[in-house]
Amino acid sequence: MIAIVDYGMGNIGSILNMFKRIEVKDVIVTGDAEKIRKADKIILPGVGSFDTGMIHLKENGLIEVLTEKALKQRVPVLGICLGMQLITKRSEEGVEPGLGWIDAETKRFQFDPSLKLKVPHMGWNYLTVKKENALIEADEKKRFYFVHSYYVKCNVESDILAESHYGFKFTCSLNRDNIFGAQFHPEKSHKFGMKLYKNFASL
């Protein structure tokens, strides 16, 4: 069973619809810690601010069960957009500590005015896969849909799964063992997103 975590911060309906399109049926949306405890795989979505996301996880009593599933039971976990950022230790967006599953920080895009780049980074962008993995194949050029003002900086290079370029190279997907993150939105990324979710369901 795949549990999509509902803590009031995600595009949950779009993610669930994508799983229906690829005919993965054993998927639930839940904010119930006991149901999450029974899950074989977990998706942590998220749209909004870092501090609000962490506060919602605390208020819903989900931090302990999510950490147990990720670090002790080592079930596959996929953080999407804000969900990927919450996996890091901290964010420049706020003061709340993150889940800290990955040695990384969430930083705000800042550019020299001469580059004339807007924040948030919004729209389609290509990625480069940096290592062999079961989530994103490295054998073809892939593009995904992004909407974000903050990016993740991994302190351990081997945790970088894929990079994109917006003013500079940044980590757009991370991975350590059973933990994965995607800064982009697979549910808005058509065939590339469908393939990513199929791969996750098969882990």
Side-chain angles (χ1 to χ4, degrees):
M1 178 186 71
I2 299 173
I4 303 172
V5 181
D6 181 4
Y7 63 110
M9 297 288 290
N11 290 329
I12 292 172
S14 298
I15 297 171
L16 186 60
N17 287 338
M18 185 66 91
F19 277 110
K20 289 179 180 178
R21 288 184 64 185
I22 62 175
E23 299 182 345
V24 175
K25 297 179 180 179
D26 196 11
V27 182
I28 65 168
V29 173
T30 182
D32 186 315
E34 291 309 309
K35 290 181 179 178
I36 293 170
R37 203 177 301 277
K38 297 176 183 177
D40 302 306
K41 301 178 184 73
I42 293 170
I43 291 180
L44 180 63
V47 175
S49 74
F50 189 95
D51 276 8
T52 303
M54 288 306 304
I55 289 168
H56 280 205
L57 288 177
K58 287 181 184 177
E59 290 178 346
N60 286 279
L62 298 179
I63 291 178
E64 182 179 351
V65 65
L66 289 173
T67 299
E68 178 184 336
K69 298 295 285 187
L71 301 186
K72 293 182 180 179
Q73 296 185 24
R74 299 170 71 84
V75 304
V77 178
L78 173 61
I80 298 172
C81 198
L82 176 63
M84 169 168 149
Q85 296 173 6
L86 297 180
I87 288 171
T88 70
K89 290 184 172 182
R90 64 187 67 84
S91 174
E92 290 182 347
E93 189 177 14
V95 298
E96 291 288 326
L99 293 169
W101 300 343
I102 298 287
D103 184 5
E105 301 170 357
T106 301
K107 304 177 74 68
R108 181 172 174 79
F109 277 122
Q110 296 188 48
F111 303 113
D112 188 292
S114 65
L115 293 176
K116 297 182 179 179
L117 291 173
K118 295 182 178 179
V119 178
H121 168 219
M122 182 181 300
W124 293 88
N125 203 342
Y126 289 97
L127 59 80
T128 300
V129 178
K130 304 297 290 184
K131 65 178 183 178
E132 291 295 322
N133 71 99
L135 189 68
I136 309 173
E137 298 90 346
D139 57 355
E140 64 175 282
K141 205 168 185 181
K142 294 177 172 61
R143 64 181 194 138
F144 289 87
Y145 191 82
F146 290 80
V147 183
H148 62 120
S149 299
Y150 292 79
Y151 67 95
V152 168
K153 182 181 183 300
C154 290
N155 295 319
V156 179
E157 188 173 357
S158 61
D159 291 339
I160 301 172
L161 175 53
E163 293 178 331
S164 288
H165 192 281
Y166 190 65
F168 52 83
K169 287 182 181 179
F170 69 93
T171 299
C172 66
S173 183
L174 56 77
N175 164 237
R176 179 185 293 170
D177 300 325
N178 57 302
I179 298 169
F180 297 86
Q183 183 59 67
F184 46 82
H185 289 275
E187 68 279 4
K188 297 181 179 179
S189 301
H190 306 315
K191 66 177 182 180
F192 301 109
M194 292 171 71
K195 179 60 174 170
L196 185 149
Y197 281 139
K198 281 183 181 178
N199 290 344
F200 183 74
S202 299
L203 291 176

